[in-house]
Amino acid sequence: MPSILILAGGEGVRFWPRSTRSRPKQFLPLAGGDRVMAARTWDRAVALVGEERVFLVTGERHEPLVRQFLPEVPESQVLLEPEGRSTAAAVLLGCARIVSLRGEGEVVAVLPSDHRIADERRFRSLLEVALTWGRSGRMLFFGVPPTRPETGFGYLRIRPLPVRGIFQGVGFVEKPSEEEARDLIRGGEVLWNTGIYVFQVRRLAELAGRIDPRLREGYEGFLRAWRDRDGEERKRVHRSLPAISLEYALLSRLSSFFVLPGDFGWDDLGDWRSLERIRPRDRDGNVSAGRAALLECRDCIVDEGSQRVALFGVRDLVVAACPEGVLVCPRDRVGELRRLVDHLKESGRADWT
């Protein structure tokens, strides 16, 4: 039976002010209901492989949030990072822990904790296919058909293989401009990169050493530290690693790879505009949780929480109000919210973030 590694780091800055360093978006119920995103991902993973084979990587500062919102996760399966260093450090930390328990032949699926998957049955079916391929030493990335020229995703260039349902990946484009994204979609044979991938750890370790010796050294350092139960050494190794995305490092260096395409209702819920895709609109194109008062407004996104929010005579705005702060922003610029968060930090308002 394979293992699943859930990545629950990151700050989710494009959902500010709801998402902050003290409670990032994976610990918010953005997909509806009361279960936070990370808890929904845990449920999905446990249903696939059983609780004892699911591990969750998060930052030390977020451990209280795990205990609050995912109390069912065994303490030994919560793997803590001393600081955020993108996904390379997180995946290598988690894989080393899994190998210390199961061996390098273990197949691992990496799942981001903050994505929405609407068709759980279809996703389970595809993941079972991917895990079968993983056992043969292949690395498989999940791709979904693009529906718009999204600039916040990576794009996988693909071409058919004789094997039904599997494509060969022949290139990767990381977060293109809108014009580039339009050209990619018009050209066809591209998929969005979902950040979900499956591999045998032995194969990942080999690739990591080929791509960047620091990654292989970090993996081996983590493995020794897990086996020696040396928490301080794990922290030292973690801080020595480059702050890079592992999937970007892999995809940008591999001349070819395997891609499993599928439409399973995936959405990374990357910024406030994603609420338009999961919440109903009123007759004027506005999206809200239903409590805001809107008069003569069009195409606005309102997340009012428990606040009393009223909009009058405006259009194409995002308004988010919560105890942590209030955001008013043009709807077509929410993808730039990182700039605002950086500005707050640089202007002495880091406590706002």
Side-chain angles (χ1 to χ4, degrees), residues 110-170:
V110 172
L111 305 185
S113 64
D114 54 358
H115 292 183
R116 177 178 182 263
I117 292 176
D119 190 340
E120 298 278 358
R121 182 178 297 180
R122 175 64 176 156
F123 177 72
R124 283 197 297 269
S125 175
L126 289 169
L127 190 56
E128 287 168 2
V129 171
L131 292 169
T132 299
W133 271 62
R135 293 186 192 101
S136 65
R138 298 176 176 93
M139 178 172 281
L140 206 65
F141 295 85
F142 277 54
V144 298
T147 58
R148 60 188 183 278
E150 176 62 56
T151 61
F153 302 160
Y155 288 71
L156 303 167
R157 296 184 186 272
I158 59 172
R159 66 182 176 209
L161 283 172
V163 180
R164 183 181 177 185
I166 303 293
F167 285 76
Q168 183 178 14
V170 294

Side-chain angles (χ1 to χ4, degrees), residues 144-150 153 155 181-182 185 190-192 262-263 265-267 277:
V144 298
T147 58
R148 60 188 183 278
E150 176 62 56
F153 302 160
Y155 288 71
R182 291 185 189 279
I185 293 172
V190 294
L191 297 170
W192 279 335
D263 188 355
W266 174 86
D267 199 309
R277 299 189 292 273

Side-chain angles (χ1 to χ4, degrees), residues 6-26:
I6 298 172
L7 304 184
E11 297 180 15
V13 296
R14 289 180 293 167
F15 266 104
W16 188 87
R18 282 283 304 277
S19 177
T20 63
R21 287 181 297 168
S22 60
R23 188 178 175 185
K25 75 166 185 168
Q26 60 269 29

Side-chain angles (χ1 to χ4, degrees), residues 81-319:
E81 297 185 278
E83 58 190 51
R85 298 195 67 77
S86 196
T87 60
V91 172
L92 295 176
L93 173 72
C95 285
R97 177 54 175 158
I98 291 167
V99 167
S100 73
L101 299 171
R102 320 254 184 228
E104 276 200 332
E106 185 77 354
V107 175
V108 174
V110 172
L111 305 185
S113 64
D114 54 358
H115 292 183
R116 177 178 182 263
I117 292 176
D119 190 340
E120 298 278 358
R121 182 178 297 180
R122 175 64 176 156
F123 177 72
R124 283 197 297 269
S125 175
L126 289 169
L127 190 56
E128 287 168 2
V129 171
L131 292 169
T132 299
W133 271 62
R135 293 186 192 101
S136 65
R138 298 176 176 93
M139 178 172 281
L140 206 65
F141 295 85
F142 277 54
V144 298
T147 58
R148 60 188 183 278
E150 176 62 56
T151 61
F153 302 160
Y155 288 71
L156 303 167
R157 296 184 186 272
I158 59 172
R159 66 182 176 209
L161 283 172
V163 180
R164 183 181 177 185
I166 303 293
F167 285 76
Q168 183 178 14
V170 294
F172 177 64
V173 181
E174 173 70 352
K175 297 182 179 178
S177 67
E178 185 170 344
E179 182 179 351
E180 290 171 329
R182 291 185 189 279
D183 289 343
L184 286 167
I185 293 172
R186 276 196 295 264
E189 294 195 330
V190 294
L191 297 170
W192 279 335
N193 177 37
T194 64
I196 300 168
Y197 47 109
V198 174
F199 52 85
Q200 190 176 54
V201 180
R202 183 181 294 112
R203 174 65 171 152
L204 177 69
E206 292 169 358
L207 289 172
R210 190 191 311 167
I211 291 166
D212 188 333
R214 294 174 298 173
L215 299 181
R216 180 61 187 250
E217 291 166 9
Y219 164 72
E220 292 174 347
F222 280 139
L223 189 55
R224 287 192 299 271
W226 282 118
R227 286 173 172 164
D228 294 341
R229 300 183 181 181
D230 189 339
E232 290 306 311
E233 177 63 8
R234 285 201 304 273
K235 291 180 181 180
R236 188 200 66 76
V237 172
H238 189 279
R239 293 188 176 108
S240 73
L241 284 167
I244 58 173
S245 159
L246 183 62
E247 62 188 290
Y248 175 70
L250 291 169
L251 289 169
S252 62
R253 300 288 186 89
L254 295 174
S255 58
S256 68
F257 45 90
F258 296 100
V259 178
L260 180 63
D263 188 355
F264 42 89
W266 174 86
D267 199 309
D268 86 325
L269 298 184
D271 60 38
W272 287 110
R273 287 173 300 185
S274 61
L275 297 186
E276 296 177 319
R277 299 189 292 273
I278 64 172
R279 292 182 182 176
R281 298 175 185 243
D282 68 16
R283 62 184 182 182
D284 295 313
N286 301 301
V287 174
S288 78
R291 292 180 292 274
L294 294 93
L295 179 61
E296 298 177 12
C297 298
R298 294 190 65 85
D299 299 322
C300 291
I301 301 170
V302 186
D303 187 77
E304 63 272 40
S306 60
Q307 312 298 306
R308 294 177 178 176
V309 175
L311 276 65
F312 176 40
V314 297
R315 64 185 304 159
D316 296 314
L317 287 181
V318 172
V319 178

